[in-house]
Amino acid sequence: MNKWKIAFLGLVLLLVLAIVYVGSLLTGTSESYTLTDRPDPAEGGQLFVETSKQDFEKLANKYILEAVRDQPIPLQLVVEDKIALTSELTVFSLTIPVQMYFDPVVLEDGNIQLVQNQVDIGQLSIPPEEILKLLRSSIDLPNWMIVSPADESVFIDLGGLPIDGDLDIRAQEIDLENDEIILSVTVPTDQ
C-alpha cells in the first residue's frame, strides 16, 4: 500500500473518531457512580481463597465471556502488572486495538474499583473519560460491571456475580506486584 493510501486511511479514521468523540460529548453523560451499600455477609462459614493473577484472569474472563457472548465487540480482561481491558474498534474494515489499563482498588465492602491510568487506541490520543463513555455505550456490559467515565473507573460488584448458591464473595487484597489476590467466601449456614 502506498503512503498516500495509508495517509488517507489515517485521515478518515481520525475524522470518524472525531465524530464519535463529539457525538459522545453531546449524548453521553459523565455522572460519577458509586456502588450501593453492600450488606454484611450472612452468618456462616468463611474461607479465604488465595489465587494468582493468571487464575484470576481466567475466572474473570469466564464471567465476562458469558455476559457479553452475543455482543459484536470482543472484551477481555488481562491481569499483569496492571489490569487491562482489551477490545477493538472497527472503522471502514480497519480494526484498531483498544487497551485500557487500570489500577485495582479493594473497596471497604469487598468490591473492586478499577481506576484507569492509561489508554492505548492505535496511535491516537483520546481522553480516558471518552473511551469509557464509548465502552459503556458500545457494549451491553453485565450488571456487575459498572463503567463510570466521570471517575475514570470501572466498578466490579462481586455481589452481583451470577454464582450458584448464596455464596458471598469479597475481595480482601489485590497485590499484582507480588502475584497475590485474596478473596473471602462466606457460605451461609441454614438457620
Side-chain angles (χ1 to χ4, degrees), residues 36-102:
T36 57
D37 287 336
R38 187 172 176 193
D40 290 332
E43 290 291 320
Q46 186 177 38
L47 57 107
F48 293 90
V49 178
E50 184 174 339
T51 187
S52 67
K53 294 184 286 191
Q54 182 181 23
D55 289 338
F56 186 78
E57 178 182 305
K58 286 178 188 174
L59 182 63
N61 281 320
K62 174 191 177 295
Y63 283 106
I64 290 171
L65 180 64
E66 287 175 5
V68 299
R69 179 171 296 158
D70 298 327
Q71 301 295 315
I73 299 173
L75 183 66
Q76 183 176 15
L77 185 118
V78 177
V79 182
E80 292 174 346
D81 292 340
K82 302 272 184 208
I83 292 181
L85 281 175
T86 63
S87 189
E88 58 187 34
L89 294 174
T90 303
V91 181
F92 298 121
S93 74
L94 182 63
T95 301
I96 303 166
V98 177
Q99 294 182 321
M100 298 165 278
Y101 296 92
F102 301 88

Side-chain angles (χ1 to χ4, degrees), residues 40-47 165-168 185-191:
D40 290 332
E43 290 291 320
Q46 186 177 38
L47 57 107
D166 291 331
L167 301 178
D168 183 86
V185 180
T186 302
V187 181
T189 54
D190 293 333
Q191 307 241 344

